[in-house]
Coordinates of all heavy atoms in Angstrom, one line a residue:
M80 N 0.8 -1.2 0.0 CA 0.0 0.0 0.0 C 0.9 1.2 0.0 O 1.9 1.3 0.7 CB -0.9 0.0 1.2 CG -1.7 1.2 1.4 SD -2.8 1.2 2.9 CE -4.0 0.0 2.3
K81 N 0.5 2.3 -0.7 CA 1.2 3.5 -0.7 C 1.0 4.2 0.6 O -0.1 4.1 1.2 CB 0.8 4.4 -1.9 CG 1.3 3.8 -3.2 CD 1.1 4.8 -4.3 CE 1.7 4.2 -5.6 NZ 1.9 5.2 -6.6
L82 N 2.0 5.0 1.1 CA 1.9 5.7 2.3 C 0.7 6.6 2.4 O 0.0 6.6 3.4 CB 3.2 6.5 2.6 CG 3.3 7.3 3.9 CD1 3.1 6.4 5.1 CD2 4.6 8.0 3.9
I83 N 0.5 7.4 1.4 CA -0.7 8.3 1.4 C -2.0 7.5 1.6 O -2.9 8.0 2.3 CB -0.7 9.2 0.2 CG1 -1.8 10.3 0.3 CG2 -0.9 8.4 -1.1 CD1 -1.5 11.3 1.3
N84 N -2.1 6.4 0.9 CA -3.3 5.6 1.0 C -3.5 5.0 2.4 O -4.6 4.9 2.9 CB -3.4 4.5 0.0 CG -3.5 5.1 -1.4 OD1 -4.0 6.2 -1.6 ND2 -2.9 4.3 -2.4
A85 N -2.4 4.7 3.1 CA -2.5 4.1 4.4 C -2.9 5.2 5.4 O -3.7 5.0 6.3 CB -1.1 3.6 4.8
V86 N -2.4 6.5 5.2 CA -2.8 7.6 6.0 C -4.3 7.9 5.8 O -5.0 8.2 6.8 CB -1.9 8.8 5.8 CG1 -2.4 10.1 6.4 CG2 -0.5 8.5 6.2
I87 N -4.7 7.9 4.6 CA -6.1 8.2 4.3 C -7.0 7.2 4.9 O -8.0 7.5 5.6 CB -6.4 8.2 2.7 CG1 -5.7 9.4 2.1 CG2 -7.8 8.1 2.4 CD1 -5.6 9.3 0.6
E88 N -6.6 5.9 4.8 CA -7.4 4.8 5.4 C -7.5 5.0 6.9 O -8.5 4.8 7.5 CB -6.7 3.5 5.1 CG -7.3 2.3 5.7 CD -6.5 1.0 5.3 OE1 -6.7 0.6 4.1 OE2 -5.8 0.5 6.2
R89 N -6.4 5.4 7.5 CA -6.3 5.6 9.0 C -7.2 6.8 9.4 O -8.0 6.7 10.4 CB -4.9 5.8 9.4 CG -4.7 5.6 10.9 CD -4.8 4.1 11.2 NE -4.5 3.9 12.6 CZ -4.9 3.0 13.4 NH1 -5.8 2.1 12.9 NH2 -4.5 2.9 14.6
I90 N -7.2 7.9 8.7 CA -8.0 9.0 9.1 C -9.5 8.6 8.9 O -10.3 8.9 9.8 CB -7.7 10.3 8.2 CG1 -6.3 10.8 8.5 CG2 -8.7 11.4 8.4 CD1 -5.8 11.8 7.6
K91 N -9.8 8.0 7.8 CA -11.2 7.5 7.6 C -11.7 6.6 8.7 O -12.8 6.6 9.2 CB -11.4 6.9 6.2 CG -11.4 7.9 5.1 CD -11.5 7.2 3.8 CE -11.6 8.2 2.6 NZ -11.8 7.6 1.3
Y92 N -10.8 5.7 9.1 CA -11.1 4.8 10.2 C -11.5 5.5 11.5 O -12.5 5.2 12.1 CB -9.9 3.9 10.5 CG -10.0 3.1 11.8 CD1 -10.8 2.0 11.9 CD2 -9.3 3.6 13.0 CE1 -10.9 1.3 13.1 CE2 -9.5 2.9 14.2 CZ -10.2 1.8 14.3 OH -10.3 1.1 15.5
Y93 N -10.7 6.6 11.8 CA -11.0 7.3 13.1 C -12.3 8.2 12.9 O -13.0 8.4 13.8 CB -9.8 8.1 13.5 CG -8.9 7.3 14.3 CD1 -7.7 6.9 13.8 CD2 -9.2 6.8 15.6 CE1 -6.8 6.1 14.5 CE2 -8.3 6.0 16.3 CZ -7.1 5.6 15.7 OH -6.3 4.8 16.4
L94 N -12.5 8.7 11.7 CA -13.7 9.5 11.4 C -14.9 8.6 11.7 O -15.9 9.0 12.3 CB -13.7 10.1 10.0 CG -12.8 11.3 9.7 CD1 -12.9 11.6 8.3 CD2 -13.2 12.5 10.6
N95 N -14.9 7.4 11.2 CA -16.0 6.5 11.3 C -16.1 6.0 12.8 O -17.2 6.0 13.3 CB -15.8 5.2 10.4 CG -16.9 4.3 10.5 OD1 -18.1 4.7 10.3 ND2 -16.7 3.0 10.7
K96 N -15.0 5.7 13.4 CA -15.0 5.2 14.8 C -15.6 6.3 15.7 O -16.4 6.0 16.6 CB -13.6 4.9 15.2 CG -13.5 4.4 16.7 CD -12.1 4.0 17.0 CE -12.0 3.6 18.5 NZ -10.7 3.2 18.9
K97 N -15.2 7.6 15.5 CA -15.7 8.6 16.4 C -16.9 9.3 15.8 O -17.4 10.3 16.4 CB -14.6 9.6 16.6 CG -13.4 9.0 17.4 CD -12.3 9.9 17.7 CE -11.3 9.3 18.5 NZ -11.5 9.4 20.0
Q98 N -17.5 8.8 14.7 CA -18.7 9.3 14.1 C -18.6 10.9 13.9 O -19.4 11.6 14.2 CB -19.9 9.0 14.9 CG -20.1 7.5 15.0 CD -21.3 7.1 15.8 OE1 -21.9 7.9 16.6 NE2 -21.8 5.9 15.6
L99 N -17.5 11.2 13.2 CA -17.2 12.6 12.9 C -17.3 12.9 11.4 O -16.9 12.0 10.6 CB -15.8 13.1 13.4 CG -15.6 13.1 14.9 CD1 -14.1 13.3 15.2 CD2 -16.5 14.2 15.5
T100 N -17.7 14.0 11.0 CA -17.6 14.5 9.6 C -16.3 15.2 9.4 O -15.6 15.6 10.3 CB -18.8 15.4 9.2 OG1 -18.6 16.6 10.0 CG2 -20.1 14.8 9.5
Q101 N -16.0 15.4 8.1 CA -14.8 16.2 7.8 C -14.9 17.6 8.4 O -13.9 18.1 8.9 CB -14.6 16.3 6.3 CG -14.2 15.0 5.6 CD -14.0 15.1 4.1 OE1 -13.6 16.1 3.6 NE2 -14.3 14.0 3.4
Y102 N -16.1 18.1 8.3 CA -16.3 19.5 8.8 C -16.0 19.5 10.4 O -15.4 20.4 10.9 CB -17.7 19.9 8.5 CG -18.1 21.3 9.2 CD1 -17.6 22.5 8.6 CD2 -18.8 21.3 10.3 CE1 -17.9 23.7 9.2 CE2 -19.1 22.6 10.9 CZ -18.7 23.7 10.3 OH -19.0 24.9 10.9
Q103 N -16.6 18.5 11.1 CA -16.4 18.5 12.5 C -14.9 18.3 12.8 O -14.4 18.9 13.8 CB -17.2 17.3 13.1 CG -18.7 17.6 13.1 CD -19.5 16.3 13.4 OE1 -19.2 15.2 13.0 NE2 -20.6 16.5 14.2
L104 N -14.2 17.4 12.1 CA -12.8 17.2 12.3 C -12.0 18.5 12.1 O -11.1 18.9 12.8 CB -12.2 16.1 11.4 CG -10.7 15.9 11.5 CD1 -10.3 15.5 13.0 CD2 -10.3 14.8 10.6
S105 N -12.4 19.3 11.1 CA -11.8 20.5 10.8 C -11.9 21.5 12.0 O -10.9 22.1 12.4 CB -12.4 21.2 9.5 OG -12.0 22.5 9.3
K106 N -13.1 21.6 12.5 CA -13.3 22.5 13.7 C -12.5 22.0 14.9 O -12.0 22.8 15.6 CB -14.8 22.5 14.0 CG -15.6 23.2 12.9 CD -15.2 24.7 12.8 CE -15.9 25.4 11.7 NZ -15.3 26.7 11.4
L107 N -12.5 20.7 15.1 CA -11.8 20.2 16.3 C -10.3 20.3 16.2 O -9.6 20.4 17.2 CB -12.2 18.7 16.5 CG -13.6 18.5 16.9 CD1 -13.9 17.0 16.9 CD2 -13.9 19.0 18.3
S108 N -9.8 20.2 14.9 CA -8.3 20.1 14.7 C -7.7 21.4 14.3 O -6.5 21.6 14.5 CB -8.0 19.1 13.6 OG -8.5 19.5 12.4
G109 N -8.5 22.3 13.8 CA -7.9 23.6 13.2 C -7.4 23.4 11.8 O -6.8 24.4 11.3
V110 N -7.5 22.2 11.3 CA -7.0 22.0 9.9 C -8.1 22.4 9.0 O -9.3 21.9 9.2 CB -6.6 20.5 9.7 CG1 -6.2 20.2 8.2 CG2 -5.5 20.1 10.6
P111 N -7.9 23.2 8.0 CA -9.0 23.6 7.1 C -9.7 22.4 6.4 O -9.1 21.4 6.1 CB -8.2 24.5 6.0 CG -7.0 24.9 6.7 CD -6.6 23.9 7.6
Q112 N -11.0 22.6 6.3 CA -11.8 21.5 5.7 C -11.3 21.2 4.3 O -11.3 20.0 3.9 CB -13.2 21.8 5.7 CG -14.1 20.7 5.2 CD -15.6 21.0 5.3 OE1 -16.0 22.0 5.6 NE2 -16.4 20.0 4.9
S113 N -10.9 22.2 3.6 CA -10.4 21.9 2.2 C -9.1 21.1 2.3 O -8.9 20.2 1.4 CB -10.1 23.2 1.5 OG -9.1 24.0 2.2
T114 N -8.3 21.2 3.3 CA -7.1 20.4 3.4 C -7.4 19.0 3.7 O -6.9 18.0 3.1 CB -6.1 21.0 4.5 OG1 -5.7 22.3 4.1 CG2 -4.9 20.1 4.7
I115 N -8.4 18.8 4.7 CA -8.8 17.4 5.0 C -9.4 16.8 3.8 O -9.2 15.6 3.5 CB -9.8 17.5 6.2 CG1 -9.1 17.9 7.5 CG2 -10.5 16.1 6.4 CD1 -9.9 18.3 8.7
S116 N -10.3 17.5 3.1 CA -10.9 17.0 1.9 C -9.9 16.6 0.9 O -10.0 15.5 0.3 CB -11.9 18.0 1.3 OG -12.5 17.5 0.1
S117 N -8.9 17.4 0.6 CA -7.9 17.1 -0.4 C -7.0 15.9 0.0 O -6.6 15.1 -0.8 CB -7.0 18.3 -0.7 OG -6.1 18.6 0.3
I118 N -6.8 15.7 1.3 CA -6.1 14.5 1.8 C -7.0 13.3 1.6 O -6.5 12.3 1.0 CB -5.8 14.6 3.3 CG1 -4.7 15.7 3.6 CG2 -5.3 13.3 3.9 CD1 -4.5 16.1 5.0
L119 N -8.2 13.3 2.0 CA -9.1 12.1 1.9 C -9.5 11.8 0.5 O -9.9 10.6 0.3 CB -10.3 12.4 2.8 CG -10.0 12.5 4.3 CD1 -11.3 12.7 5.1 CD2 -9.3 11.2 4.8
T120 N -9.4 12.7 -0.4 CA -9.7 12.4 -1.8 C -8.4 12.2 -2.6 O -8.5 12.1 -3.9 CB -10.6 13.5 -2.5 OG1 -9.9 14.7 -2.4 CG2 -11.9 13.6 -1.8
N121 N -7.3 12.0 -1.9 CA -6.0 11.7 -2.5 C -5.6 12.8 -3.6 O -5.0 12.5 -4.6 CB -6.0 10.3 -3.1 CG -4.6 9.8 -3.3 OD1 -3.6 10.4 -2.9 ND2 -4.5 8.6 -3.9
Q122 N -5.9 14.0 -3.3 CA -5.5 15.1 -4.2 C -4.2 15.8 -3.8 O -3.7 16.7 -4.4 CB -6.6 16.2 -4.3 CG -7.9 15.7 -4.9 CD -9.0 16.7 -4.9 OE1 -8.8 17.8 -4.4 NE2 -10.1 16.4 -5.6
T123 N -3.6 15.3 -2.7 CA -2.4 15.8 -2.2 C -1.4 14.6 -2.1 O -1.8 13.5 -1.8 CB -2.5 16.6 -0.9 OG1 -1.2 17.1 -0.5 CG2 -3.0 15.7 0.2
K124 N -0.2 14.8 -2.4 CA 0.8 13.7 -2.3 C 1.7 13.8 -1.1 O 2.3 12.8 -0.7 CB 1.7 13.8 -3.6 CG 1.0 13.6 -4.9 CD 0.3 12.2 -4.9 CE -0.5 12.1 -6.1 NZ -1.6 11.2 -6.0
N125 N 1.7 15.0 -0.4 CA 2.5 15.1 0.8 C 1.7 15.7 1.9 O 1.0 16.7 1.7 CB 3.7 16.1 0.5 CG 4.6 15.5 -0.5 OD1 5.1 14.4 -0.4 ND2 5.0 16.3 -1.6
I126 N 1.7 15.1 3.0 CA 1.1 15.6 4.2 C 2.2 15.8 5.2 O 2.9 14.9 5.5 CB 0.1 14.6 4.8 CG1 -0.9 14.2 3.7 CG2 -0.7 15.2 6.0 CD1 -1.8 13.0 4.1
N127 N 2.3 17.0 5.8 CA 3.3 17.2 6.8 C 2.9 16.7 8.1 O 1.7 16.5 8.4 CB 3.8 18.7 6.8 CG 2.8 19.6 7.3 OD1 2.1 19.3 8.3 ND2 2.7 20.8 6.7
L128 N 3.9 16.4 8.9 CA 3.7 15.8 10.3 C 2.8 16.7 11.1 O 2.0 16.3 11.9 CB 5.0 15.5 10.9 CG 4.9 14.6 12.2 CD1 4.1 13.4 12.0 CD2 6.3 14.3 12.7
E129 N 3.0 18.0 11.0 CA 2.2 19.0 11.8 C 0.7 18.8 11.5 O -0.1 18.9 12.4 CB 2.7 20.4 11.5 CG 2.0 21.4 12.4 CD 2.5 22.8 12.2 OE1 3.6 23.0 11.8 OE2 1.7 23.8 12.5
T130 N 0.4 18.6 10.3 CA -1.0 18.4 9.9 C -1.6 17.1 10.5 O -2.7 17.1 11.1 CB -1.2 18.4 8.4 OG1 -0.8 19.6 7.8 CG2 -2.7 18.1 8.0
I131 N -0.8 16.1 10.5 CA -1.2 14.8 11.1 C -1.3 15.0 12.6 O -2.3 14.5 13.2 CB -0.2 13.6 10.7 CG1 -0.3 13.3 9.2 CG2 -0.5 12.4 11.6 CD1 0.6 12.3 8.7
Y132 N -0.4 15.7 13.2 CA -0.4 16.0 14.6 C -1.7 16.7 15.0 O -2.4 16.4 15.9 CB 0.8 16.8 15.0 CG 0.8 17.1 16.5 CD1 1.2 16.3 17.5 CD2 0.2 18.3 16.9 CE1 1.2 16.6 18.8 CE2 0.2 18.7 18.3 CZ 0.7 17.8 19.2 OH 0.6 18.1 20.6
D133 N -2.1 17.7 14.2 CA -3.3 18.5 14.4 C -4.5 17.6 14.3 O -5.5 17.8 15.0 CB -3.4 19.7 13.5 CG -2.3 20.8 13.8 OD1 -1.8 20.8 15.0 OD2 -2.1 21.6 12.9
I134 N -4.5 16.8 13.3 CA -5.7 15.9 13.1 C -5.8 14.9 14.3 O -6.9 14.7 14.8 CB -5.5 15.1 11.7 CG1 -5.8 16.1 10.5 CG2 -6.4 13.9 11.7 CD1 -5.4 15.5 9.2
C135 N -4.7 14.4 14.7 CA -4.7 13.5 15.9 C -5.2 14.3 17.1 O -6.0 13.7 17.9 CB -3.3 13.0 16.2 SG -2.8 11.7 15.0
A136 N -4.8 15.5 17.3 CA -5.3 16.3 18.4 C -6.8 16.5 18.3 O -7.5 16.3 19.3 CB -4.6 17.6 18.5
G137 N -7.3 16.7 17.1 CA -8.7 16.9 16.9 C -9.5 15.6 17.2 O -10.6 15.6 17.7
L138 N -8.8 14.5 16.9 CA -9.4 13.1 17.1 C -9.2 12.7 18.6 O -9.8 11.6 18.9 CB -8.8 12.1 16.2 CG -9.1 12.3 14.7 CD1 -8.2 11.4 13.8 CD2 -10.6 12.0 14.4
E139 N -8.5 13.4 19.3 CA -8.1 13.1 20.7 C -7.4 11.8 20.8 O -7.8 10.9 21.6 CB -9.4 13.1 21.6 CG -10.0 14.5 21.7 CD -11.2 14.6 22.6 OE1 -11.9 13.6 22.8 OE2 -11.5 15.7 23.0
I140 N -6.4 11.6 19.9 CA -5.6 10.4 20.0 C -4.1 10.9 19.9 O -3.8 12.0 19.4 CB -5.9 9.4 18.8 CG1 -5.6 10.1 17.4 CG2 -7.3 8.9 18.9 CD1 -5.6 9.1 16.3
E141 N -3.2 10.0 20.4 CA -1.8 10.3 20.3 C -1.3 9.8 18.9 O -1.8 9.0 18.3 CB -1.1 9.5 21.4 CG -1.5 9.9 22.8 CD -1.1 11.4 23.2 OE1 -0.1 11.9 22.6 OE2 -1.8 12.0 24.0
L142 N -0.1 10.4 18.5 CA 0.5 10.1 17.3 C 0.8 8.6 17.2 O 0.6 7.9 16.2 CB 1.8 10.9 17.0 CG 1.6 12.3 16.6 CD1 2.9 13.0 16.6 CD2 1.0 12.3 15.2
D143 N 1.3 8.0 18.3 CA 1.6 6.6 18.3 C 0.4 5.7 18.1 O 0.5 4.7 17.4 CB 2.4 6.2 19.6 CG 1.6 6.3 20.9 OD1 0.6 7.1 20.9 OD2 1.9 5.6 21.8
E144 N -0.7 6.1 18.6 CA -2.0 5.4 18.3 C -2.3 5.5 16.8 O -2.7 4.5 16.2 CB -3.1 5.9 19.2 CG -4.4 5.1 19.0 CD -5.5 5.7 19.9 OE1 -5.3 6.5 20.8 OE2 -6.7 5.2 19.6
F145 N -2.2 6.6 16.2 CA -2.5 6.8 14.8 C -1.6 5.9 14.0 O -2.1 5.2 13.0 CB -2.3 8.3 14.4 CG -2.6 8.6 13.0 CD1 -3.9 8.8 12.6 CD2 -1.6 8.5 12.0 CE1 -4.3 9.1 11.3 CE2 -2.0 8.8 10.7 CZ -3.3 9.1 10.3
F146 N -0.3 5.9 14.3 CA 0.6 5.1 13.5 C 0.7 3.6 13.8 O 1.4 2.9 13.1 CB 2.0 5.8 13.5 CG 2.1 7.0 12.7 CD1 2.2 8.3 13.4 CD2 2.1 7.0 11.4 CE1 2.3 9.4 12.7 CE2 2.1 8.2 10.6 CZ 2.2 9.4 11.3
N147 N 0.1 3.2 14.9 CA 0.2 1.8 15.4 C -0.9 1.0 14.7 O -1.9 0.6 15.2 CB 0.0 1.8 16.9 CG 0.3 0.4 17.4 OD1 0.9 -0.4 16.8 ND2 -0.3 0.1 18.6
C148 N -0.6 0.6 13.4 CA -1.5 -0.3 12.7 C -0.6 -1.0 11.6 O 0.4 -0.5 11.2 CB -2.7 0.5 12.1 SG -2.2 1.7 10.8
D149 N -1.1 -2.1 11.2 CA -0.4 -2.9 10.2 C -0.1 -2.1 8.9 O 0.9 -2.2 8.3 CB -1.1 -4.2 9.9 CG -0.9 -5.2 11.1 OD1 0.0 -5.0 11.9 OD2 -1.7 -6.1 11.1
S150 N -1.1 -1.4 8.4 CA -1.0 -0.7 7.1 C 0.1 0.4 7.1 O 0.6 0.7 6.1 CB -2.3 -0.1 6.7 OG -2.8 0.8 7.6
L151 N 0.5 0.9 8.3 CA 1.6 1.9 8.4 C 2.9 1.3 8.8 O 3.8 2.1 9.1 CB 1.1 3.0 9.3 CG 0.1 4.0 8.7 CD1 -0.5 4.9 9.7 CD2 0.7 4.8 7.6
K152 N 3.1 0.0 8.9 CA 4.4 -0.6 9.1 C 5.2 -0.4 7.9 O 4.8 -0.6 6.8 CB 4.2 -2.0 9.5 CG 3.5 -2.2 10.9 CD 3.6 -3.6 11.4 CE 2.8 -3.8 12.7 NZ 3.3 -3.0 13.8
L153 N 6.5 -0.2 8.1 CA 7.4 0.1 7.0 C 7.4 -1.1 5.9 O 7.4 -0.8 4.7 CB 8.9 0.2 7.5 CG 9.2 1.5 8.2 CD1 10.6 1.5 8.7 CD2 8.8 2.7 7.4
I154 N 7.3 -2.3 6.4 CA 7.3 -3.4 5.5 C 6.1 -3.4 4.6 O 6.1 -4.0 3.5 CB 7.4 -4.7 6.3 CG1 7.7 -5.9 5.4 CG2 6.1 -5.0 7.1 CD1 8.9 -6.6 5.8
N155 N 5.0 -2.8 5.0 CA 3.8 -2.7 4.2 C 3.6 -1.5 3.3 O 2.6 -1.4 2.6 CB 2.5 -2.9 5.1 CG 2.5 -4.2 5.8 OD1 2.9 -5.2 5.3 ND2 2.0 -4.2 7.0
I156 N 4.6 -0.6 3.4 CA 4.5 0.6 2.6 C 5.3 0.4 1.3 O 6.6 0.3 1.4 CB 5.0 1.9 3.4 CG1 4.2 2.0 4.6 CG2 5.0 3.1 2.5 CD1 2.7 2.3 4.4
E157 N 4.7 0.3 0.2 CA 5.4 0.0 -1.1 C 6.2 1.1 -1.6 O 7.2 0.9 -2.4 CB 4.4 -0.5 -2.1 CG 3.4 0.6 -2.6 CD 2.3 0.0 -3.5 OE1 1.8 -1.1 -3.2 OE2 2.0 0.7 -4.4
D158 N 5.9 2.4 -1.3 CA 6.7 3.5 -1.8 C 7.8 3.9 -0.8 O 8.4 4.9 -1.0 CB 5.8 4.6 -2.2 CG 4.9 5.2 -1.2 OD1 4.7 4.5 -0.1 OD2 4.3 6.2 -1.4
W159 N 8.0 3.1 0.2 CA 9.1 3.4 1.1 C 10.4 3.2 0.4 O 10.6 2.2 -0.3 CB 9.0 2.5 2.4 CG 10.1 2.7 3.4 CD1 11.1 1.8 3.7 CD2 10.3 3.8 4.2 NE1 11.9 2.3 4.6 CE2 11.5 3.6 5.0 CE3 9.7 5.1 4.3 CZ2 12.0 4.5 5.9 CZ3 10.2 6.0 5.2 CH2 11.3 5.7 6.0
K160 N 11.3 4.1 0.5 CA 12.5 4.1 -0.3 C 13.7 3.3 0.3 O 14.6 2.9 -0.4 CB 13.0 5.5 -0.6 CG 12.0 6.3 -1.4 CD 12.3 7.8 -1.4 CE 11.3 8.5 -2.2 NZ 9.9 8.4 -1.8
F161 N 13.6 3.0 1.5 CA 14.7 2.2 2.2 C 14.6 0.8 1.9 O 13.5 0.2 1.9 CB 14.7 2.4 3.7 CG 15.7 1.7 4.5 CD1 17.0 2.3 4.5 CD2 15.5 0.6 5.1 CE1 18.0 1.6 5.2 CE2 16.5 -0.1 5.8 CZ 17.7 0.4 5.9
E162 N 15.7 0.1 1.5 CA 15.6 -1.3 1.2 C 16.3 -2.1 2.3 O 17.3 -1.7 2.8 CB 16.3 -1.6 -0.1 CG 15.6 -1.0 -1.3 CD 16.0 -1.5 -2.6 OE1 16.6 -2.6 -2.6 OE2 15.8 -0.8 -3.6
Y163 N 15.6 -3.2 2.7 CA 16.2 -4.0 3.8 C 17.3 -4.9 3.4 O 17.3 -5.4 2.3 CB 15.0 -4.8 4.4 CG 14.0 -4.0 5.1 CD1 12.8 -3.6 4.5 CD2 14.2 -3.6 6.5 CE1 11.9 -2.9 5.1 CE2 13.2 -2.9 7.1 CZ 12.1 -2.5 6.5 OH 11.1 -1.8 7.1

């Protein structure tokens, strides 16, 4: 899976789990709704860590919880540049 798709999947997971809309997440996180929308529709190729941090704060989760899933393990990211 590509890194951006794994991040999108993770954000959507938490939106569903917490029953939030993109608009509500925008208000809670301070991240513009247009940014959240462009992330979730895969219209952006790069998401900075500060944006992910703000999204996590809005979701009331820690960064380690966000990244603690199989789809975000290095071995499962196909566009990871480091070779083992």
Side-chain angles (χ1 to χ4, degrees):
M80 174 179 288
K81 291 191 175 198
L82 179 59
I83 186 69
N84 294 333
V86 170
I87 291 168
E88 180 181 281
R89 199 67 173 153
I90 295 169
K91 286 181 177 181
Y92 166 80
Y93 279 107
L94 285 175
N95 186 49
K96 179 179 179 180
K97 296 185 175 270
Q98 299 181 340
L99 294 171
T100 64
Q101 291 179 31
Y102 175 78
Q103 290 168 320
L104 178 58
S105 172
K106 292 299 178 191
L107 293 169
S108 66
V110 176
Q112 186 176 2
S113 60
T114 300
I115 293 171
S116 177
S117 71
I118 292 169
L119 295 179
T120 57
N121 202 6
Q122 294 178 354
T123 184
K124 298 299 175 206
N125 296 309
I126 307 168
N127 67 41
L128 189 54
E129 184 176 335
T130 300
I131 293 176
Y132 179 85
D133 290 342
I134 288 171
C135 287
L138 292 168
E139 297 181 336
I140 61 169
E141 298 293 333
L142 282 169
D143 64 336
E144 183 179 347
F145 182 84
F146 287 108
N147 188 21
C148 67
D149 286 341
S150 62
L151 284 167
K152 292 190 184 300
L153 292 179
I154 194 123
N155 295 327
I156 302 297
E157 65 188 43
D158 54 350
W159 179 248
K160 294 166 183 60
F161 181 77
E162 295 193 23
Y163 292 96

